[in-house]
């Protein structure tokens, strides 16, 4: 038995600029930490303001209100007799302001736009406090800089200087498959140096495209002893662990470490008249340190089911609207969006039945238009969806198939949405008639003798009218259904990240919406999610969406023509060449393909462009290694050139793209994440370099690999 202490960290669902709400959640987390016997409480980064203020950080009001909120927190009765790691405070006294030494400035992070990193390691100066703080604490100035509160702070050099408890207040957002990297870094920090590591994070949608994915934890000597949830509807989640400081001292007890420690320069200590651990004789010998736990990771399909669902719940309740409206096409993308809403309803239903989160019920009653004291309680997730989720199949008598119409209807029924099924031919015909009346020109589909331009115009008329009709129904359906309280429906978009990257969407069509939960998720991941949800949510009908060919259904269906989106991928091409029926299969796969490339290829292009930071030449060289066993260098060049042509002529669409839940590293979101021009020149300089390299290869430049040719 050594020096036991109970420590607390937390996930907080903060909201940018919600000073009152943020303050309440901070105080509640401190109350819960004290109730668990914690002597130290750690909270997330920028917990008073919320993390996602963006340019509001530059406003004087933000600076003023932050200090005012801090005053309310440090004088609150629940916030005494516990060490708080915000600005580090104990019993109405500010002990230290510890600024960041390094700022996050890539991807979605813009900290250098608003803040300046601290000057130097181990440098401490004096900071003169504003009068509103002095009035409460009696302090005129406090230390600011890279110091330690004995015994706590960050990492390797501090461990050599005797620091035993490290704290990390974070504002880390969700990306698919990202959490394991974060956990490995946290575990490694104390695995090498020994120590106790407290990680706190924001959790939820705080007003922007990001979902902060919690996962607060406590780690000792590389072992996780407490873990919070990654996705949750709780606004406050506190986790605690009882740890023994002697375990850290024993872990570090080696001569080689001592030799390194003797040469380290000391950090400035800020003395505090408390001890985090109890005296040995005061400790109950039956109290044991917290045991190591196995960290719970979600598979990517679960991440898609849970992350966007929690994000959409926050977005809906904080926007104070009446629900969601989704155009259902009968295809995979709108299906995936609908299933995410179903997942949201499942989470809400579970929270209400468990009864430990009354805020969820209060929010649902308000969203559904019920009074606060209403005795209505949902029977199941479908009951919730029937009140807050509205779907519509907006078909064309000639262009739409009975299959897509039936799939949309069946999905709406399975989820419980208020579903509409109608055709828009009369509206489309009215617009075409107007064009004819004004110009004396009647546009026709290409199959009926029209030009490519008129063929595309007729498709765009349908797509854009669906957007107009979506907003009309979103505004009026609550009234149609008898709602008397304020609130309309938020329109959901369903364009996936690959279609946005390629520009395979109509500007201001149904991809234009209030929010898009799948806008940064690849088609490949969406298909896997649908397969997972079919079993996980007991929805066997989802298999029919996987089996159906992707199609926009914007052109007439005839006996020998059905519009289709996707061409054969390079991987499928390799299999195709080995098939004894390759000629027949090839004809089927390559006929009537609108997009010009497969979704798997688009995912590859997207990662190479954004994550690997490659232009046309670099991408071609990389793809030689990826696809060189299936295609010739010339064919790979043609595919690369095709992608960059479509990408560059459609990049302007990203300037108006619907805000999307951020989930993927290669998202082309122009407004926050992927900052690039929207008017491109030709990439001729790079193309000439590729062509020169292919020419230098001789016949090998245009020849497929021998293994492929033998099967042709």
């Amino acid at each position: 038995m050594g020096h036991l202490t109970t420590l607390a960290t937390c996930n907080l669902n903060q909201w940018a600029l919600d000073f009152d709400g943020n303050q309440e959640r901070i105080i509640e987390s401190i109350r819960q930490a004290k109730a668990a016997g914690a002597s130290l409480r750690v909270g997330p980064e920028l917990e008073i303001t919320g993390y996602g203020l963006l340019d509001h950080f530059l406003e004087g009001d933000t600076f003023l209100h932050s200090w005012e909120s801090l005053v309310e927190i440090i004088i609150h009765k629940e916030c005494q007799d516990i060490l708080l790691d915000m600005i580090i405070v104990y019993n109405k006294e500010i002990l230290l302001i510890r600024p960041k030494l390094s700022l996050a400035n890539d991807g979605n992070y813009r900290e250098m736009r608003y803040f300046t990193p601290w000057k130097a390691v181990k440098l401490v100066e004096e900071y003169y406090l504003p009068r509103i703080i002095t009035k409460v604490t009696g302090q005129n100035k406090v230390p600011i800089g890279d110091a330690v509160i004995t015994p706590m702070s960050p990492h390797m050099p501090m461990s050599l200087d005797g620091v035993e408890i490290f704290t990390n207040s974070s504002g880390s957002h969700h990306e698919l498959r990202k959490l394991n990297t974060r956990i490995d870094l946290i575990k490694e920090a104390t695995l090498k140096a020994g120590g106790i590591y407290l990680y706190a994070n924001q959790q939820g949608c705080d007003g922007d495209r990001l979902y902060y994915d919690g996962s607060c934890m406590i780690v000792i000597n590389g072992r996780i002893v407490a873990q919070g949830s990654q996705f949750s509807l709780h606004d406050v989640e506190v986790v605690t662990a009882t740890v023994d400081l002697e375990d850290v001292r024993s872990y570090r007890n080696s001569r080689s470490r001592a030799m390194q420690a003797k040469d380290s320069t000391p950090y400035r200590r800020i003395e505090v008249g408390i001890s985090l651990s109890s005296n040995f004789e005061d400790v109950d010998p039956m109290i044991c340190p917290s045991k190591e736990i196995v960290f719970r990771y979600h598979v990517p399909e679960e991440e898609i089911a849970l992350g966007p669902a929690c994000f959409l719940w926050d977005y809906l309740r904080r926007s104070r609207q009446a629900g969601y409206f989704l155009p259902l096409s009968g295809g995979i993308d709108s299906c995936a969006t609908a299933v995410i809403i179903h997942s949201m309803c499942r989470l809400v239903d579970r929270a209400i039945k468990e009864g430990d989160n009354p805020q969820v019920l209060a929010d649902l009653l308000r969203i559904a238009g019920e009074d606060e004291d209403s005795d209505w309680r949902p029977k199941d997730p479908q009951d919730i969806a029937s009140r807050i989720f509205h779907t519509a199949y907006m078909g064309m008598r000639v262009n739409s198939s009975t299959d897509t119409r039936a799939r949309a209807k069946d999905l709406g029924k399975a989820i419980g949405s208020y579903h509409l099924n109608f055709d828009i031919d009369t509206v489309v015909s009215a617009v075409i008639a107007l064009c004819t009346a004004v110009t004396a020109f009647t546009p026709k589909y290409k199959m009926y003798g029209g030009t490519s331009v008129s063929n595309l115009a007729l498709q765009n008329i349908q797509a854009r009218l669906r957007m107009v009709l979506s907003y009309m129904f979103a505004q009026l359906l609550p009234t149609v259904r008898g709602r008397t309280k304020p609130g309309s429906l938020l329109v959901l978009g369903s364009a996936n990240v690959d279609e946005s990257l390629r520009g395979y969407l109509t500007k201001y069509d149904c991809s234009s919406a209030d929010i898009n939960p799948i806008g940064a998720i690849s088609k490949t991941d969406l298909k896997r999610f649908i397969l997972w949800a079919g079993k996980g949510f007991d929805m066997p009908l989802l298999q029919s969406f996987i089996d159906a060919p992707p199609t926009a259904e914007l052109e007439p269906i005839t006996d020998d023509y059905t519009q289709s989106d996707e061409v054969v991928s390079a991987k499928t091409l390799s299999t195709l060449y080995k098939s004894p029926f390759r000629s027949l299969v090839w004809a089927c796969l390559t006929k009537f393909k609108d997009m010009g490339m497969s979704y798997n290829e688009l995912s590859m292009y997207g990662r190479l462009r954004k994550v690997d930071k490659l232009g046309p030449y670099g991408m071609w060289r990389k793809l030689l290694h990826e696809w060189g066993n299936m295609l010739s260098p010339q064919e790979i060049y043609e595919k690369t050139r095709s992608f960059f042509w479509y990408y560059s002529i459609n990049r302007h669409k990203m300037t108006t793209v619907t805000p999307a839940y951020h989930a993927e590293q290669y998202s082309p979101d122009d407004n926050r994440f992927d900052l690039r021009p929207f008017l491109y020149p030709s990439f001729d300089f790079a193309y000439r370099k590729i062509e020169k390299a292919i020419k230098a290869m001789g016949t090998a430049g245009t020849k497929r690999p021998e293994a492929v040719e033998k099967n042709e």
Side-chain angles (χ1 to χ4, degrees), residues 35-281:
S39 54
L40 166 67
R41 176 266 184 194
V42 180
E45 186 173 10
L46 294 167
E47 60 181 324
I48 287 178
T49 60
Y51 187 90
L53 269 67
L54 303 172
D55 281 1
H56 287 291
F57 279 124
L58 304 174
E59 297 172 359
D61 281 8
T62 301
F63 187 73
L64 172 64
H65 298 334
S66 298
W67 282 114
E68 291 171 333
S69 293
L70 181 64
V71 168
E72 296 298 320
I73 293 168
I74 64 178
I75 66 174
H76 197 279
K77 64 180 181 179
E78 294 285 2
C79 302
Q80 311 308 311
D81 301 319
I82 184 170
L83 189 61
L84 305 176
D85 183 23
M86 300 160 33
I87 285 178
I88 301 173
V89 176
Y90 183 74
N91 283 356
K92 301 181 185 178
E93 180 183 3
I94 296 177
L95 305 175
L96 173 69
I97 301 173
R98 192 166 193 281
K100 291 183 74 170
L101 288 165
S102 301
L103 299 181
N105 209 51
D106 56 0
N108 285 297
Y109 294 102
R110 302 280 187 277
E111 291 181 358
M112 290 288 285
R113 181 179 175 94
Y114 320 113
F115 306 110
T116 303
W118 185 241
K119 304 175 184 179
V121 175
K122 302 181 181 179
L123 174 67
V124 180
E125 297 180 353
E126 300 295 330
Y127 181 87
Y128 285 86
L129 295 170
R131 282 171 289 184
I132 56 173
I133 297 292
T134 300
K135 185 177 179 180
V136 172
T137 68
Q139 301 167 281
N140 292 313
K141 58 184 179 179
V142 296
I144 180 173
D146 191 28
V148 299
I149 302 293
T150 308
M152 57 185 256
S153 261
H155 181 203
M156 286 295 288
M158 289 185 172
S159 74
L160 294 174
D161 198 26
V163 175
E164 294 167 331
I165 302 176
F166 310 120
T167 66
N168 181 350
S169 298
S170 182
S172 184
H173 64 77
H174 176 232
E175 271 183 7
L176 292 174
R177 306 172 179 88
K178 172 185 172 183
L179 183 61
N180 61 327
T181 301
R182 188 192 310 164
I183 303 307
D184 289 345
L185 291 172
I186 291 173
K187 290 172 65 176
E188 183 183 15
T190 58
L191 192 62
K192 285 183 177 180
I196 301 161
Y197 195 114
L198 281 77
Y199 174 81
N201 196 14
Q202 306 256 7
Q203 185 178 61
C205 164
D206 81 338
D208 198 13
R209 294 158 171 79
L210 307 180
Y211 180 84
Y212 298 91
D213 61 340
S215 307
C216 63
M217 71 191 79
I218 301 175
V219 181
I220 178 169
N221 300 337
R223 296 179 291 108
I224 298 173
V225 294
Q227 172 197 355
S229 64
Q230 185 178 11
F231 309 107
S232 173
L233 300 188
H234 284 275
D235 285 342
V236 177
E237 181 180 5
V238 175
V239 300
T240 61
T242 299
V243 295
D244 190 345
L245 297 179
E246 287 296 331
D247 288 343
V248 177
R249 295 160 189 169
S250 174
Y251 190 87
R252 292 175 173 177
N253 191 15
S254 66
R255 294 297 302 167
S256 58
R257 183 188 178 282
M259 292 299 292
Q260 295 178 60
K262 76 178 180 63
D263 295 326
S264 66
T265 56
Y267 283 82
R268 176 174 167 180
R269 258 66 171 175
I270 308 296
E271 300 294 337
V272 188
I274 60 167
S275 175
L276 294 183
S277 62
S278 303
N279 294 325
F280 177 77
E281 57 272 15

Side-chain angles (χ1 to χ4, degrees), residues 341-647:
I341 292 290
H342 176 63
S343 177
M344 181 192 80
C345 293
R346 288 169 61 95
L347 292 173
V348 172
D349 182 62
R350 183 190 308 161
I352 292 172
K353 286 181 169 58
E354 290 175 350
D356 62 346
N357 190 356
Q359 186 62 49
V360 173
L361 177 59
D363 288 332
L364 178 62
L365 291 176
R366 177 174 48 78
I367 293 165
E370 296 283 341
D371 294 328
E372 290 182 9
D373 58 354
S374 169
D375 59 0
W376 174 72
R377 297 295 182 270
K379 299 187 297 292
D380 51 33
Q382 286 75 13
D383 196 15
I384 295 172
S386 71
R387 301 290 295 269
I388 68 173
F389 187 38
H390 302 68
T391 55
Y393 182 86
M394 295 179 273
M396 291 280 290
R397 283 191 296 271
V398 178
N399 300 356
S400 302
S401 68
T402 56
D403 290 340
T404 55
R405 193 183 298 269
R407 283 198 299 272
K409 182 180 179 180
D410 292 344
L411 180 61
K413 182 178 180 180
I415 289 174
S417 68
Y418 181 87
H419 184 68
L420 301 175
N421 180 2
F422 59 91
D423 291 323
I424 64 172
D425 298 69
T426 54
V427 187
V428 173
S429 297
V431 172
I432 295 172
L434 175 64
C435 174
T436 302
V438 172
T439 65
F441 173 78
T442 301
K444 298 178 182 178
Y445 289 106
K446 194 170 184 179
M447 65 174 63
Y448 299 144
T451 65
S452 297
V453 172
S454 65
N455 191 70
L456 183 59
L458 288 172
Q459 295 182 62
N460 288 342
I461 289 170
Q462 299 168 60
R464 290 181 173 127
L465 283 174
R466 288 188 174 110
M467 184 270 289
V468 174
L469 293 172
S470 293
Y471 275 95
M472 179 190 75
F473 284 112
Q475 192 164 17
L476 294 178
L477 278 179
T479 301
V480 169
R481 299 187 65 191
R483 183 184 179 94
T484 57
K485 295 189 176 181
S488 58
L489 306 176
L490 298 166
V491 178
L492 294 173
S494 322
N496 63 65
V497 67
D498 298 318
E499 290 174 349
S500 295
L501 178 67
R502 153 65 173 77
Y504 188 67
L505 52 91
T506 300
K507 204 172 187 179
Y508 303 116
D509 68 349
C510 277
S511 64
S512 296
D514 294 311
I515 197 72
N516 182 357
I518 67 166
I521 303 176
S522 73
K523 190 81 164 190
T524 302
D525 280 336
L526 289 176
K527 289 179 179 178
R528 290 171 179 161
F529 163 62
I530 293 299
L531 286 170
W532 174 88
K535 296 180 180 178
F537 294 160
D538 191 22
M539 300 176 70
L541 68 90
L542 296 183
Q543 183 63 46
S544 65
F545 288 84
I546 295 293
D547 297 337
T551 174
E553 292 195 340
L554 293 170
E555 295 178 286
I557 298 172
T558 66
D559 291 339
D560 61 351
Y561 182 89
T562 299
Q563 187 180 24
S564 186
D565 297 347
E566 186 179 11
V567 300
V568 62
S569 69
K571 183 177 181 180
T572 304
L573 185 65
S574 177
T575 305
L576 173 65
Y577 282 133
K578 300 174 185 177
S579 168
F581 307 104
R582 56 184 174 272
S583 298
L584 176 61
V585 176
W586 175 252
C588 294
L589 286 171
T590 56
K591 192 176 183 182
F592 312 136
K593 304 299 182 182
D594 280 3
M595 203 161 63
M597 56 198 71
S598 74
Y599 285 106
N600 286 338
E601 288 173 349
L602 270 173
S603 292
M604 175 69 79
Y605 298 141
R607 292 184 186 281
L608 294 178
R609 181 196 68 101
K610 176 67 177 177
V611 182
D612 291 358
K613 304 175 181 65
L614 298 178
Y617 179 70
M619 185 180 292
W620 173 75
R621 286 181 60 90
K622 185 76 171 180
L623 289 175
L624 285 178
H625 303 296
E626 297 290 335
W627 295 345
N629 64 328
M630 299 175 284
L631 302 170
S632 71
Q634 177 67 31
E635 288 171 318
I636 294 172
Y637 165 49
E638 290 168 1
K639 282 181 172 288
T640 304
R641 183 164 182 159
S642 175
F643 163 71
F644 274 99
W645 185 79
Y646 282 116
Y647 162 76

Side-chain angles (χ1 to χ4, degrees), residues 314-344:
D314 279 345
Y315 194 93
L316 178 57
R317 68 192 182 108
R318 287 175 168 171
S319 66
R320 305 187 75 83
Q321 295 304 306
Y324 285 115
F325 178 90
L326 173 66
L328 273 183
S329 68
I332 282 222
D333 294 331
S334 61
C335 169
T337 301
V339 174
I340 288 170
I341 292 290
H342 176 63
S343 177
M344 181 192 80

